[in-house]
Amino acid sequence: MRVTLNQAAELLTKSQVVALPTETVYGLAASISHEKAIEQVFALKRRPLANPLIIHVSSHGQVHALADTLATGFDRLSEAFWPGSMTLVLPVAVDKIPYSIRAGLPTAAFRMPAHQLTLDVLSLTGPVVMPSANLSGKPSATTPTHVEMDFGLNFPVLDGGPCEKGVESTILIFRNQTWSIIRLGAIPVEDFADVLGYTPEVNIKPAGLNPICPGQLFRHYAPKAKLILTKEIPPEATGIVLGFADKSYPDKCDLWSMSHSSNPQAASASLYALLRKLDENNITEAWVDINFPEEGLWTTLAERLHKASH
Ligand code: TXA
Ligand code: MG
């Protein structure tokens, strides 16, 4: 059910869960001051309680009110990339933020999304938590229709059009006096170097029982189809290829184009819709052309495809 901006704000203040658009993916929003609604977010998504949520804000002041100490570089990063696809994990005063949002950690993740409709909602309601608006383990939703496929036609969605970025935000944490990346995302690693004065280390491998980013423990972004990632599709191959419009593939293959091969932004924006389309068409196996550069946004795309292929 499509709702207006004012209806979305009203539902949130009445302890309801609403799907809101962001520039990365759609989010399942609940006000941070309504613990029942937060519980419902976990239940609706069938999300493990050990996986904490990102707090979304519409002003820097809302972060200052909730965070404990603001790490060196916080101001520079937030000035440079907010509103935008960067999430920062910060130490918080634990009494200010419900346990369930943090999954018991002494930190919380913050982001100011770059979507005017949602910023307008948040300026009426205050901060909300927003995990991606998909059932846990499914590809994230990048259109209102995707949200409705997972949560039903009666679920309230604020329609902000298709998401411009199409992959989730890049998450950074400050530890040992430096910022490092704990989830690759819509802002490439290289883009942080100018602002930080160094290229942040990427630390995305689950490390034992206490990963830095708990989300890494869980299955992600996966369609039912088996994805075969390869730099070269064998000439005798048949079936669907997720590939590029300007490249040629074996005769018996059917190309589902992600984008032109020079456009990682467009490939990211189409990725989850294509993964969902595989399921909609009951496809059990597909080839994926991963013959692209190991840099910039391509790195994020490769990581999402690897996760989707497991
Ligand atoms: O682009 C995005 O970030 C989207 C849109 C809706 O804003 N949201 C999103 O949320 O991707 P979600 O819940 O699907 O992913 C949040 C990730 C999880 O991997 C979680 O483990 C991590 O953020 N996270 C949250 N709080 C954390 C914390 N305190 N420390 C480390 N990781 C944290
Ligand atoms: Mg998610």
Side-chain angles (χ1 to χ4, degrees):
M1 178 184 41
R2 309 294 161 99
V3 297
T4 64
L5 191 161
N6 285 317
Q7 287 169 328
E10 198 185 328
L11 288 167
L12 288 165
T13 53
K14 286 186 180 155
S15 205
Q16 305 278 308
V17 177
V18 185
L20 300 180
T22 84
E23 82 285 18
T24 59
V25 299
Y26 273 74
L28 215 52
S31 161
I32 67 159
S33 25
H34 290 265
E35 295 206 38
K36 276 269 171 294
I38 297 164
E39 268 170 37
Q40 225 207 321
V41 163
F42 281 96
L44 277 166
K45 275 184 66 86
R46 293 182 218 137
R47 180 183 178 103
L49 294 172
N51 196 4
L53 303 171
I54 300 174
I55 297 172
H56 291 67
V57 298
S58 59
S59 71
H60 292 252
Q62 290 172 345
V63 180
H64 290 238
L66 296 168
D68 184 17
T69 45
L70 294 174
T72 322
F74 169 83
D75 288 333
R76 258 178 295 137
L77 285 168
S78 60
E79 288 298 329
F81 294 104
W82 281 350
S85 317
M86 172 189 73
T87 294
L88 298 178
V89 176
L90 303 171
V92 290
V94 291
D95 52 326
K96 287 187 192 157
I97 298 175
Y99 185 95
S100 56
I101 295 181
R102 303 175 277 112
L105 297 169
T107 55
F110 294 89
R111 168 165 122 81
M112 190 188 297
H115 198 297
Q116 197 56 49
L117 280 179
T118 291
L119 290 173
D120 290 346
V121 172
L122 300 195
S123 63
L124 295 171
T125 62
V128 299
V129 289
M130 273 210 276
S132 48
N134 55 281
L135 293 171
S136 268
K138 286 257 168 216
S140 297
T142 55
T143 65
T145 309
H146 294 160
V147 179
E148 289 163 351
M149 280 161 50
D150 282 10
F151 301 107
L153 285 173
N154 287 329
F155 195 82
V157 186
L158 176 59
D159 186 348
C163 299
E164 175 202 337
K165 300 283 183 87
V167 291
E168 299 81 354
S169 61
T170 307
I171 307 182
L172 289 91
I173 193 169
F174 188 72
R175 299 193 327 158
N176 307 325
Q177 295 308 305
T178 52
W179 289 94
S180 58
I181 289 178
I182 56 173
R183 179 176 74 181
L184 294 170
I187 301 180
V189 177
E190 296 88 334
D191 287 20
F192 294 98
D194 271 354
V195 175
L196 288 174
Y198 56 91
T199 304
E201 198 181 303
V202 177
N203 201 338
I204 58 170
K205 291 271 178 313
L209 287 175
N210 290 311
I212 311 170
C213 181
Q216 293 170 153
L217 276 179
F218 307 104
R219 188 165 185 262
H220 258 105
Y221 321 117
K224 290 192 204 101
K226 176 181 166 203
L227 300 180
I228 309 162
L229 311 191
T230 174
K231 287 190 188 268
E232 200 174 333
I233 297 164
E236 68 279 9
T238 58
I240 285 154
V241 174
L242 300 188
F244 299 96
D246 54 313
K247 289 172 70 174
S248 53
Y249 297 101
D251 287 346
K252 292 204 183 95
C253 286
D254 183 12
L255 170 64
W256 286 12
S257 172
M258 293 189 270
S259 67
H260 191 278
S261 64
S262 65
N263 194 343
Q265 172 60 68
S268 303
S270 66
L271 177 68
Y272 292 146
L274 287 171
L275 296 182
R276 282 175 174 264
K277 189 172 155 193
L278 292 170
D279 281 354
E280 286 159 40
N281 288 272
N282 295 313
I283 308 291
T284 54
E285 196 171 278
W287 298 93
V288 186
D289 178 1
I290 55 162
N291 192 10
F292 44 68
E294 286 169 27
E295 61 183 28
L297 198 50
W298 292 115
T299 315
T300 300
L301 200 67
E303 190 261 353
R304 294 299 193 272
L305 283 166
H306 276 106
K307 278 195 158 167
S309 73
H310 285 136

